[in-house]
Amino acid sequence: MSNELQTKQIIDTVEQKLIGELLNNSFVLEDAVLKLEPRDFGNSNMAAVFGAIVALYNDAKTIDEHTVIDYLTSHTNMQFDDYVVIVRSLASQFGTAADVEDHIDLIKNASIKRRMDQFAGELVTTPINFTDFNDQIYDLEKRFLDITNAKRSSKISTIAQVAQNYQKKLDTIYGKTNEITGTTSGYESIDKITNGFQPGDLIILAARPGVGKTALALNFLLNAAKDILKHKRKDPTNNDVVVMFSLEMGSDQICQRLISVEGQVDMSMSHKGDWGDFQWNSLTTAIEDISELPILIDDSSDLSIIDIQSKVKQIKMNHNIKLIVVDYLQLLKGPQQRGSQVNRQQEVASISRLLKQVARQSSVPVIAVAQLSRKIEERMGASRSNPEPILSDLRESGAIEQDADLVTFIHYETVADDEGGNNNNESNDVMVEYIIAKHRNGRTGRARLQFVKNYSKFIYVKGINFNPNEKKPQN
């Protein structure tokens, strides 16, 4: 007997045992229904019986051999006697529930293997359509990710289990009043509100064009990477990294900005090479310092959200990701949906939902840079006043606001720049408010930062940290 046939027989027996266990033991139903689907069963008869069990479970009805037979006879085209024999045989032969979890895992793994084999066969035989190649690749990649993500875990927990896990989390931070639990932003005033960017959170960083949202995101990235390097020097086995997905700028431009921030060198002079000895030394030292940092950059200009999901999985095979920055959200391509017309608002809704999934599944904070809509410019009016951003100013805002754990804005305390990115304030130093307008798991608030535009550097202004309803401090 071949190994393949032997394996098939083993799985077939396990499927029958599980159905028998479910028919006789109501207390094991929950795990099976939450983790398996009818299509996970290779035996079509077992798939039909499990489908009946799921339907009865969802209707909160009693599940035993009698109710299952009644359901099957009224909902399928198979002969009544067939189901009588099958269900009664399973209920009488397999009654114990000792190995239910192992049986569920075996059935799910066998199901994934079958789907992978089928996908591999289709992949080999699918003709390449060069006129629609990108869409074809996105579709194949999405199908592959759907298969690899097929395992469903039980989400039902007792409050005692949740409380116990929470107690363990509290034990690790008890007494450590100066330590943050998330990834540091590098700014004390922001970390006081957020306690660091938390694993699994989707953080939206939004502002009008040219205000410095990419610059601030890069400052966050740089600060987090420097914090990792500090710990790495104490523990060389540390494999933490930060990741930047840049759809707008190339990796060389990102590197140039990071060097400018770190070395405090005006990179507008980089095309001239017009540096003095002090500036040159600062520049070369900054390049050496930046080269040490655990930063990964992907500057693909046509990234889709599916690409990001896939690449994050690949990176996590070798590294522990502490922060992901996506610049910017509205440039991302949504999942391909063949045969249907999807408007941009629906596409952005899919993107924000899947970005949240990336954050949760990888347990990493994801900062997504986002554009504001023109509503804020309409409020600005002829007076050129500088209205404060609000949640509804997010472009295609509904889904983004709903999915985000934090929604944050950058707001100039002077008149904002025009559409071309030219700020009316001639000073290179601008006072900026970092506004946390939504915080799902904590308080909202504001922090004041100084933006040095020549270096694209944000500097923490000590002692200024206040709530949105309080009177703003004066300069």
Side-chain angles (χ1 to χ4, degrees), residues 436-453:
I436 299 176
K438 175 191 173 182
H439 191 182
R440 193 190 304 277
N441 301 310
R443 64 189 178 93
T444 56
R446 305 166 187 263
R448 184 173 289 185
L449 304 173
Q450 183 180 353
F451 182 29
V452 185
K453 289 191 285 183

Side-chain angles (χ1 to χ4, degrees), residues 57 95 191 282 287 291 340 366 466:
Y57 179 87
D191 287 343
S282 297
I287 292 173
S291 299
S340 62
V366 175
F466 53 97

Side-chain angles (χ1 to χ4, degrees), residues 371-407:
Q371 292 278 22
L372 292 178
S373 71
R374 293 195 174 271
K375 290 180 183 178
I376 192 168
E377 294 170 18
E378 293 169 6
R379 295 205 310 277
M380 185 182 292
S383 65
R384 298 294 295 166
S385 61
N386 190 25
E388 192 171 284
I390 55 177
L391 291 172
S392 61
D393 289 328
L394 281 169
R395 187 181 294 173
E396 297 106 3
S397 67
I400 299 174
E401 180 187 339
Q402 178 180 327
D403 294 327
D405 297 281
L406 278 83
V407 178

Side-chain angles (χ1 to χ4, degrees), residues 43-46 48-49 69 72-84 86:
N43 184 311
S44 59
N45 288 337
M46 298 306 105
V49 176
I69 288 172
L72 287 168
T73 54
S74 59
H75 289 82
T76 69
N77 295 322
M78 288 187 69
Q79 294 296 317
F80 174 76
D81 289 342
D82 291 337
Y83 278 121
V84 171
I86 291 170

Side-chain angles (χ1 to χ4, degrees), residues 17 63 71 152 162 168 205 220 241 264 284 329 336 358 360 383 443 458 473:
K17 283 184 176 180
I63 296 171
Y71 182 90
R152 303 159 81 189
V162 177
K168 290 177 183 176
L205 171 57
F220 288 152
V241 296
Q264 298 188 41
T284 54
L329 186 149
Q336 300 295 304
V358 169
R360 282 199 64 182
S383 65
R443 64 189 178 93
F458 283 82

Side-chain angles (χ1 to χ4, degrees), residues 11 36 104-114 151:
I11 297 301
L36 296 175
I104 291 171
D105 284 341
L106 280 169
I107 292 168
K108 176 57 79 172
N109 292 340
S111 170
I112 293 173
K113 174 66 165 58
R114 284 195 304 273
K151 278 215 168 186

